[in-house]
Amino acid sequence: MADDNLVEITEQSLVNLTEHHLQHHQNHQNQLDLVESIDLTNHALVIGQEFPDVETCRRALKDIAIALHFDLRIVKSDRSRFIAKCSKEGCPWRVHVAKCPNVSTFSIRTLHGEHTCEGVRNLHHQQASVGWVARSVESRIRDNPQYKPKEILQDIRDQHGVAVSYMQAWRGKERSMAALHGTFEEGYRLLPAYCEQVRKCNPGSIASVFSTGQDNCFQRLFISYRASIVGFLNSCRPLLELDRAHLKGKYLGTLICASAVDADGGLFPLAFAVVDVESDENWMWFMSELRKLLGVNTDNMPRLTILSERQRGMVEAVETHFPSAFHGFCLRYVSENFRDTFKNSKLVNIFWSAVYALTPVEFESKISEMLEVSQDVILWLQEFPPQLWAVAYFEGVRYGHFTLGVTELLYNWALEGHELPVVQLMEHIRHQLTTWFENRQNMGMMWNSIVVPSAEAKILEAVADARCYQVLRANEVEFEVVSTERTNIVDIRSRVCSCRRWQIYGLPCAHAAAALISSGKNAHVFADHCFKVESYRETYSQMIYPIPDKSLWKDVNEGAKGEMVIRPPKTRRPPGRPKKKVLRIESLKRPKRIVQCGRCHMLGHSQKKCTMPI
C-alpha cells in the first residue's frame, strides 16, 4: 500500500518541518507584500494529534492549507479515514488520519510534512469556500450583525492573505447568521411558540400571530407587554405616537409601533407589530388591537392625544377605533412639507412663530405676515388645517411634545434587526425594553425632587422670570399678574392662566409661578401629575421577564397537536443590489442649506446661540 511508503516523522524532524513552513510562508508574504507575517505555531501538525470527528479534521486541515498558502486535495474521506495531499504534482506533502478504535475521535497516523512546491502564488485560494468564510467571521458577526460583506472581504484579505469575492463574503455572512440566529423561514415557523412563551413568561401580556391563505403565510404579529400596559394606563401622559418603518430583510414587511411618553419625556413603547405590507387594512387591524389592549380603561383616563403623519390609513383607523381622541400632525412632518413647498427662509421663520403662537389672535397675525410674502399659503393651509398642528388651535394636550420621537426608534430597530429572523427581531426589541425598564427604574429611585429633572428645569426658569411681575390678588385662588407687556389672569385652583401656557404644557408658566409664590405655595406641586417623580417610578415599577432559549420551546410545540405552521409571506426582497436613489435635477438648484435652530426652529442660527427661553 502507498501508506506503507510514508515516513514517520521524529520530533526533531517535525521542528525542522515547522521551520520550513514558517520560512515558506514568510517568503510568500514578502512576494505578495499584502499582509503581516502570521504566527504558524498553532498550525503545525504532529503524529498522534486527535480530532473529535472527521469534519473537524477536514476544517483544521483546510485552515492550515490557507494559512500556509498551499492547495489541498482530498484523496480519501469516509467514516474511518481521511487522506489528503498537496495538490501540486510531485510535492510530497501528505497526511493520513484514521479513526481511533472504540472511540469517535480521529488521530494523525502518518505525516509527510515537507513542501517542495512554491504553494499558491496569488491571492485566490481554492480552500477559501463560503463555509470557511462563514466560520472565519462567526465571532465577529455575533458581536456586530451589521458587519458588511465588503468589510468581510477586506478583513479576510488583511488577516489571511486570501481574496474572496463579494458574493462569497455575502453568502458566508448569510450562512453565519443562519447558524447563529436561525433562518428567516424558521423565524416565521417559531412565531406561534414564541407568542406562547411571551404570554407564559409575562402573564397579562398580549402576543398573537395571524396568517393568511391556504398556505398559512405570515400576515400579522402583535406584541404588548403587561409592564408597558400597566405603566401607560397608570402613569404616562395620555399621549400616543404612531409610526412605522419598512423592514429590508429577506421577506420585507413593516414594523409598526404605538409609543407613549414618560414623565421625563422619554419614549415608552406600548405596543408594536410586524405586518406583511403597510396597508389601510393593516392599520385598521393594529388600532383595533390597540383598542382591545386599552379596553375600558380609556374611558377612565383623559381623552387621548395621538400624533402621527396622518396618512389616510392612519386617519381612518384612529377615527374608527378612537373616535374621541385628538389626532394631530407631527410638527416635523408639517414643517418639512412647508419648507419644501415654499423654499423661502423668511416664510419658514414666520411659520414657526405661527406654530408656537399661544392665542388665535397671535396666530392670525402671523398668517397675515405670511400672506404678504405668498398667497399660496392659503392653499397650503387647506391641505394642512391649523386645527391639526398649531398650538393656538389644536384641542388635544401635547405637553410640549410636538414631533414623533418614535420615528428614530423604529428606524434604529429596523436597521439593527433587518438581517435577523422575525423572532430574533422581537427578542432584540424585548432586550432593549428590558434594559430601559431596569435603567430608568434605578434612575427614578435616585431622584429626591417632586418633579422629574426636565420639568424641574422649566419650573425653575419660570420662577426666575416671575420675579419681574407684579401680582394683585383678587381672592384665594384668582390673581392678576401685571407685566410691562400685558396683564394675565391666573386661577391656581383650576390651574389656568390667560396666556394658555399652563394648560398647554402642563407646567406652571411664569405668571402662575408669580401667583403661587405670592401666596406662599410651591410651584412644583402644581405641575401635572404626569411630571411627578412618583409617576415616573410607577411607570417603570413592573418588569419584563426573560424568555427561555428556543431550544426549550420543544415541549410547547409537541404539546400542541395540529399547531398552525406559519410560512413566510409571499413578498420577497428583489434580487441584486438595491437601486440607488436618483438625484433630481431640480435639487441641484436649491439654495445653500441654512442652519435651523433645534429649540425655536427659526432659521439663521443654531440652538447654542438661541435667545429663546427654554
Side-chain angles (χ1 to χ4, degrees):
M1 293 179 61
D3 293 345
D4 296 334
N5 296 326
L6 294 175
V7 180
E8 294 193 3
I9 300 177
T10 63
E11 182 177 351
Q12 182 59 42
S13 60
L14 283 173
V15 173
N16 295 335
L17 287 171
T18 303
E19 292 175 353
H20 174 82
H21 281 309
L22 286 166
Q23 184 62 39
H24 170 76
H25 177 69
Q26 186 62 48
N27 292 339
H28 182 81
Q29 295 296 79
N30 292 338
Q31 291 171 358
L32 296 177
D33 194 27
L34 288 170
V35 294
E36 297 179 357
S37 59
I38 302 174
D39 181 7
L40 298 178
T41 54
N42 293 330
H43 299 301
L45 297 173
V46 294
I47 293 177
Q49 183 174 342
E50 294 189 353
F51 304 94
D53 50 55
V54 71
E55 182 60 31
T56 304
C57 171
R58 185 185 293 110
R59 290 178 179 177
L61 289 173
K62 183 178 288 190
D63 290 341
I64 290 173
I66 292 173
L68 300 180
H69 293 278
F70 71 91
D71 272 337
L72 191 71
R73 186 166 73 84
I74 298 174
V75 178
K76 186 77 68 174
S77 179
D78 55 33
R79 294 181 180 180
S80 60
R81 58 183 173 170
F82 179 82
I83 304 172
K85 69 173 191 175
C86 180
S87 64
K88 296 290 184 180
E89 196 67 34
C91 182
W93 191 94
R94 186 182 179 94
V95 64
H96 177 200
V97 184
K99 189 176 184 298
C100 299
N102 302 323
V103 291
S104 60
T105 58
F106 284 68
S107 66
I108 297 178
R109 299 298 176 84
T110 55
L111 173 67
H112 196 299
E114 182 179 0
H115 277 285
T116 59
C117 65
E118 294 181 344
V120 180
R121 295 182 62 83
N122 55 54
L123 291 173
H124 299 282
H125 202 293
Q126 187 177 357
Q127 306 302 324
S129 62
V130 171
W132 177 80
V133 172
R135 293 194 303 275
S136 299
V137 301
E138 185 172 323
S139 60
R140 180 77 178 269
I141 287 177
R142 183 184 290 108
D143 299 332
N144 177 26
Q146 306 303 316
Y147 197 21
K148 297 178 181 178
K150 65 178 182 180
E151 296 173 339
I152 291 174
L153 62 88
Q154 186 61 51
D155 287 349
I156 286 178
R157 181 173 179 141
D158 293 341
Q159 295 171 15
H160 301 283
V162 174
V164 296
S165 67
Y166 183 91
M167 188 53 66
Q168 276 182 295
W170 186 85
R171 287 175 176 164
K173 180 182 178 180
E174 285 257 303
R175 190 174 296 186
S176 183
M177 290 287 289
L180 289 169
H181 305 293
T183 64
F184 283 91
E185 293 76 14
E186 182 189 29
Y188 290 106
R189 181 175 57 81
L190 289 173
L191 280 177
Y194 179 74
C195 290
E196 178 68 24
Q197 289 296 315
V198 170
R199 296 189 296 266
K200 179 181 178 181
C201 299
N202 291 270
S205 300
I206 298 174
S208 52
V209 59
F210 304 89
S211 61
T212 182
Q214 295 180 346
D215 295 335
N216 282 335
C217 293
F218 171 81
Q219 185 183 22
R220 299 161 177 160
L221 170 69
F222 183 93
I223 293 179
S224 180
Y225 290 98
R226 179 181 180 274
S228 299
I229 300 172
V230 172
F232 173 72
L233 293 176
N234 294 340
S235 312
C236 283
R237 314 173 191 184
L239 172 70
L240 283 178
E241 298 182 8
L242 290 180
D243 207 354
R244 79 282 181 262
H246 297 293
L247 301 174
K248 304 298 183 183
K250 184 176 180 180
Y251 293 99
L252 303 178
T254 302
L255 179 63
I256 300 174
C257 182
S259 178
V261 181
D262 66 26
D264 203 36
L267 286 175
F268 187 79
L270 173 61
F272 46 91
V274 176
V275 295
D276 54 351
V277 64
E278 184 184 8
S279 64
D280 295 352
E281 181 184 359
N282 279 335
W283 272 113
M284 192 67 72
W285 162 80
F286 180 76
M287 296 309 296
S288 171
E289 294 296 308
L290 195 60
R291 174 66 189 180
K292 293 176 190 175
L293 175 156
L294 297 176
V296 296
N297 294 286
T298 50
D299 298 330
N300 301 327
M301 58 192 299
R303 290 173 68 180
L304 278 176
T305 296
I306 297 176
L307 297 181
S308 74
E309 293 182 358
R310 284 188 60 92
Q311 295 174 331
R312 188 184 65 179
M314 291 183 188
V315 173
E316 292 177 357
V318 170
E319 288 177 351
T320 301
H321 296 288
F322 294 90
S324 63
F326 301 105
H327 189 189
F329 271 116
C330 164
L331 262 185
R332 184 191 297 116
Y333 176 75
V334 174
S335 64
E336 287 177 355
N337 185 284
F338 186 89
R339 184 191 61 205
D340 294 342
T341 299
F342 295 101
K343 301 180 180 66
N344 184 309
S345 59
K346 181 179 180 180
L347 266 180
V348 171
N349 281 337
I350 302 173
F351 167 80
W352 280 110
S353 297
V355 166
Y356 289 113
L358 295 173
T359 64
V361 173
E362 294 176 32
F363 180 85
E364 295 302 333
S365 172
K366 296 301 177 182
I367 295 298
S368 298
E369 290 183 38
M370 285 194 279
L371 291 176
E372 292 177 5
V373 179
S374 174
Q375 289 293 316
D376 293 337
V377 171
I378 296 177
L379 296 176
W380 188 88
L381 289 173
Q382 292 174 358
E383 184 180 354
F384 295 91
Q387 292 80 4
L388 300 178
W389 52 268
V391 171
Y393 286 109
F394 186 70
E395 296 182 40
V397 181
R398 291 176 286 188
Y399 301 95
H401 201 80
F402 301 118
T403 59
L404 293 177
V406 72
T407 301
E408 184 177 356
L409 176 66
L410 280 171
Y411 174 80
N412 290 333
W413 281 351
L415 181 65
E416 295 163 1
H418 82 279
E419 293 184 277
L420 297 176
V422 62
V423 165
Q424 294 298 328
L425 173 61
M426 293 300 101
E427 278 294 271
H428 173 75
I429 293 174
R430 184 185 63 80
H431 288 153
Q432 189 170 90
L433 294 181
T434 302
T435 302
W436 283 1
F437 266 73
E438 182 180 358
N439 292 344
R440 294 175 181 181
Q441 189 179 64
N442 294 335
M443 189 185 303
M445 298 307 295
M446 295 170 60
W447 294 337
N448 298 318
S449 56
I450 297 175
V451 296
V452 296
S454 60
E456 174 97 10
K458 293 174 183 176
I459 292 176
L460 290 177
E461 184 178 355
V463 169
D465 292 341
R467 293 170 183 165
C468 61
Y469 295 151
Q470 179 185 1
V471 180
L472 304 175
R473 185 166 187 166
N475 52 49
E476 291 185 359
V477 296
E478 291 184 326
F479 298 82
E480 186 177 353
V481 182
V482 182
S483 67
T484 55
E485 300 173 354
R486 55 177 288 180
T487 299
N488 289 279
I489 307 300
V490 176
D491 185 330
I492 61 174
R493 177 186 295 167
S494 303
R495 302 190 178 188
V496 169
C497 177
S498 58
C499 77
R500 298 187 69 242
R501 186 177 293 274
W502 196 357
Q503 302 92 290
I504 291 171
Y505 291 93
L507 295 171
C509 60
H511 313 113
L516 291 168
I517 292 171
S518 70
S519 59
K521 292 181 169 55
N522 187 344
H524 296 76
V525 177
F526 285 80
D528 278 15
H529 179 72
C530 62
F531 291 104
K532 303 290 180 66
V533 170
E534 175 190 357
S535 175
Y536 187 88
R537 291 173 180 169
E538 193 172 356
T539 301
Y540 297 101
S541 61
Q542 305 294 312
M543 286 182 60
I544 297 178
Y545 294 95
I547 292 174
D549 186 76
K550 63 182 179 182
S551 60
L552 302 176
W553 303 351
K554 188 187 304 181
D555 295 337
V556 176
N557 288 332
E558 289 179 351
K561 294 183 179 180
E563 174 144 1
M564 176 177 58
V565 177
I566 304 291
R567 291 181 171 82
K570 297 292 185 182
T571 53
R572 285 195 64 172
R573 182 177 57 199
R577 186 186 298 273
K579 293 182 180 179
K580 292 184 178 179
K581 187 175 182 180
V582 178
L583 182 65
R584 296 181 298 176
I585 300 299
E586 59 264 29
S587 66
L588 299 175
K589 302 177 182 177
R590 291 181 181 176
K592 185 177 179 181
R593 180 179 175 272
I594 302 174
V595 177
Q596 184 175 13
C597 177
R599 181 182 300 166
C600 70
H601 302 287
M602 295 292 186
L603 299 180
H605 68 272
S606 65
Q607 185 172 341
K608 290 182 179 179
K609 298 180 180 179
C610 183
T611 57
M612 177 183 176
I614 300 176

